[in-house]
Amino acid sequence: SVEIEDSAKVLCAKRSPLPVEVKAGETYYWCTCGRSKNQPFCDGGHKGTEHTPLAWTATETETKYFCACKQTANAPFCDGKHKKLPEDAEGKLFAPKSVE
């Protein structure tokens, strides 16, 4: 098995939300760990961590703003928590739900 340093922590992939045009009826797998290179979606980068992707199915075809800082309380969507992270947070590890 792969040993991942700080496997309980989440990586701030981006300090702003990622707009995605979603299609009604399609299921998306939101990256919860921040390690995916295919943000905001899972690419398997969580292997060796305590994290697994979150499945979400679109009910409408529309633009949704997915959380990329991984601190949202409204997963998988942005709730503005990225604004409470340090300016240089991108690419850094944080405890999940470390900002209120």
Side-chain angles (χ1 to χ4, degrees), residues 32-49:
T32 60
C33 73
R35 292 166 175 85
S36 171
K37 303 284 187 242
N38 184 37
Q39 290 297 328
F41 304 117
C42 179
D43 70 356
H46 61 273
K47 284 183 180 42
T49 75

Side-chain angles (χ1 to χ4, degrees), residues 24-25 36 50-51 53:
S36 171
E50 299 173 15
H51 306 283

Side-chain angles (χ1 to χ4, degrees), residues 11-98:
L11 184 79
C12 174
K14 196 165 166 55
R15 200 174 163 269
S16 60
L18 294 168
V20 176
E21 183 70 25
V22 297
K23 290 189 179 81
E26 282 197 18
T27 299
Y28 298 85
Y29 293 87
W30 179 65
C31 165
T32 60
C33 73
R35 292 166 175 85
S36 171
K37 303 284 187 242
N38 184 37
Q39 290 297 328
F41 304 117
C42 179
D43 70 356
H46 61 273
K47 284 183 180 42
T49 75
E50 299 173 15
H51 306 283
T52 54
L54 175 76
W56 174 80
T57 303
T59 53
E60 294 179 49
T61 297
E62 61 184 331
T63 300
K64 292 297 237 175
Y65 291 84
F66 286 85
C67 169
C69 79
K70 311 306 171 184
Q71 295 295 326
T72 185
N74 186 35
F77 307 111
C78 176
D79 69 355
K81 289 231 170 51
H82 60 271
K83 295 176 187 146
K84 296 183 178 178
L85 287 171
E87 295 275 328
D88 65 349
E90 213 164 288
K92 294 191 173 153
L93 291 167
F94 295 90
K97 298 180 176 55
S98 61

